Amino acid sequence: MKKIAVTGSIGSGKTWVCELWKQRFGVPVYNSDTAAKQMYFLPEVRQKIVQRFGKGVYLSDSELDRKHIADMVFGDETARRDLEGILYPALFVDFAQWTESQTAPYVLFESALVFEKRLEKRFDAVVMVSASEATRLRRAMARDHCDEATVRARMSKQWPEEGKRLLADYVIWHENDDEDEALLEQIERIHNLF
């Protein structure tokens, strides 16, 4: 079974592209952000996180202190790498198990940081969802109810759009929020290749 990564910068609309892809073609989508949040609660992952970062990461057996986590890893490259070194192996075990349970000819793995985390070699192809900076800013501010400076700070943690587009196998342009048919045409062209 082929594994296709779908990536894009903050506000690019990759989640919507994946949703349309799933609706139109029945292709299963693994949302890595959602799955990563669940990995925190696996017993072996939780044990490693508590050993490395302390119990303050967890508010309860089922709730994370997200602000505490963000404060720990923001600006501390070693802490961020340590946390990812605990979460990512569990995430890819989960993805492999999930993939084995699917029956489609291929699956989608949605992640904002495919290139930044050097994950592209794990996939048969990488699809980049792209939009102008102005559009990405507008979408992210509206979605997350935050100001431009906050979104720009997050953007600064991601590679520039132009570089990621050059590395991607396929690019979907998603500039207009109300043009699903144009998006579906782009998705269909890629779908037909798999």
Side-chain angles (χ1 to χ4, degrees):
M1 175 180 295
K2 290 188 176 180
K3 297 180 261 322
I4 312 302
V6 178
T7 193
S9 300
I10 186 172
S12 65
K14 66 189 165 302
T15 300
W16 181 240
V17 166
C18 285
E19 181 59 29
L20 287 176
W21 207 317
K22 180 179 176 181
Q23 287 176 14
R24 177 64 62 94
F25 299 106
V27 177
V29 178
Y30 183 91
N31 183 299
S32 66
D33 287 344
T34 301
K37 290 171 187 167
Q38 296 167 355
M39 296 304 105
Y40 279 93
F41 299 101
L42 294 175
E44 62 275 14
V45 170
R46 184 183 182 115
Q47 180 182 3
K48 289 176 185 175
I49 288 175
V50 169
Q51 284 174 344
R52 169 58 177 90
F53 298 102
K55 293 181 180 176
V57 171
Y58 296 91
L59 294 172
S60 70
D61 288 342
S62 60
E63 189 177 2
L64 294 170
D65 187 338
R66 297 201 179 283
K67 182 179 183 326
H68 180 67
I69 295 167
D71 291 345
M72 282 187 325
V73 299
F74 187 77
D76 185 338
E77 195 64 23
T78 301
R80 185 186 59 76
R81 276 197 309 267
D82 289 350
L83 183 60
E84 289 172 354
I86 296 168
L87 291 174
Y88 275 55
L91 180 74
F92 278 100
V93 166
D94 186 65
F95 176 61
Q97 291 170 344
W98 176 85
T99 299
E100 288 174 12
S101 71
Q102 305 305 316
T103 58
Y106 67 95
V107 296
L108 302 178
F109 178 92
E110 181 189 345
S111 174
L113 303 174
V114 170
F115 295 118
E116 291 87 343
K117 302 301 177 198
R118 311 261 192 288
L119 302 176
E120 62 271 20
K121 289 185 175 23
R122 292 178 174 264
F123 300 96
D124 296 290
V126 178
V127 177
M128 170 79 182
V129 180
S130 193
S132 69
E133 183 176 284
T135 297
R136 289 183 288 116
L137 276 169
R138 175 183 51 76
R139 284 181 184 147
M141 288 188 309
R143 179 193 68 204
D144 299 339
H145 309 289
C146 59
D147 61 13
E148 183 175 331
T150 301
V151 175
R152 285 195 182 278
R154 289 186 207 155
M155 285 178 162
S156 74
K157 301 291 182 200
Q158 297 180 338
W159 287 6
E161 281 274 301
E162 301 77 26
K164 289 194 278 192
R165 281 196 299 263
L166 290 173
L167 292 171
D169 298 293
Y170 308 98
V171 176
I172 291 176
W173 188 251
H174 181 26
E175 186 66 19
N176 298 311
D177 295 335
D178 57 353
E179 293 188 4
D180 287 352
E181 282 307 313
L183 271 180
L184 283 164
E185 287 174 14
Q186 295 177 77
I187 292 167
E188 185 169 12
R189 278 196 295 271
I190 297 169
H191 169 78
N192 288 337
L193 299 172
F194 303 128

